[in-house]
Amino acid sequence: MSKRNEGLHGVGGWLALLVAGMLVLGPLLAIGRTYGEFASAERMYPGLTQLAEWSSFKTVGWVSLLIFCAISIYGGLGLATKRTPDAVSRAKWILWFNYPLSIVVTAMIIPTAMIPGGGKEAAMAIPSLLASLIAVAIWTAYLNRSKRVQNTYGLGDESPVVQVSAAAY
């Protein structure tokens, strides 16, 4: 390890931002955004609150969102508390699985299946899905290349193939 990189270890810098995003910021922003969207729809269409379908739609939406938030928190906790290569592998899987899939499920599939005209809502979610994929790709590149991540989780001494193989067991 070079002198320049030997001080880079622990959850700090960009890694701390990722951990905070997975643990707190991402879930809170998703909950706030969902609450705001539901409240806005109810203000625009006051009769919605009287419909059983709206209540079912909101319930399914909230349950799905809370599951995705729990998965995010699980990945963030792994990065915050574990110092093993499998914490990084798990975080990558969660980033790729959780964030794009949460948009597909909560903003595309559920509205299309449960509300009339939900296909329009699904189409409006495509930019968010693309932004999510870009963000996940950036965080994955960071986790793959960061000296801090390599030093903190013991990734620097092994090839990526060995790391993935070890994480599978």
Side-chain angles (χ1 to χ4, degrees), residues 78-95:
L79 286 175
T81 61
K82 308 251 188 224
R83 295 295 182 261
T84 59
D86 67 312
V88 177
S89 296
R90 185 180 316 114
K92 289 178 197 174
W93 278 104
I94 287 172
L95 286 170

Side-chain angles (χ1 to χ4, degrees), residues 20-168:
M22 292 179 79
L23 281 173
V24 180
L25 300 174
L28 284 179
L29 288 172
I31 289 168
R33 183 186 68 245
T34 300
Y35 174 80
E37 289 171 357
F38 286 153
S40 175
E42 289 173 355
R43 276 192 307 277
M44 286 177 63
Y45 307 103
L48 280 177
T49 59
Q50 306 304 314
L51 298 174
E53 294 87 351
W54 177 250
S55 178
S56 296
F57 172 71
K58 283 178 40 175
T59 300
V60 170
W62 279 119
V63 168
S64 300
L65 177 68
L66 293 176
I67 290 169
F68 288 117
C69 287
I71 292 168
S72 177
I73 291 167
Y74 173 69
L77 280 174
L79 286 175
T81 61
K82 308 251 188 224
R83 295 295 182 261
T84 59
D86 67 312
V88 177
S89 296
R90 185 180 316 114
K92 289 178 197 174
W93 278 104
I94 287 172
L95 286 170
W96 280 102
F97 166 80
N98 200 49
Y99 295 99
L101 187 62
S102 70
I103 293 169
V104 169
V105 170
T106 62
M108 298 173 116
I109 294 174
I110 293 172
T112 300
M114 296 189 74
I115 58 175
K120 291 178 187 175
E121 295 294 322
M124 290 177 18
I126 291 173
S128 295
L129 177 60
L130 294 175
S132 172
L133 291 170
I134 292 167
V136 167
I138 290 168
W139 281 119
T140 301
Y142 168 77
L143 289 170
N144 287 336
R145 297 173 187 251
S146 166
K147 294 297 178 192
R148 177 183 299 277
V149 172
Q150 290 174 8
N151 295 343
T152 300
Y153 299 99
L155 298 172
D157 300 330
E158 299 175 351
S159 73
V161 173
V162 172
Q163 294 169 19
V164 171
S165 299

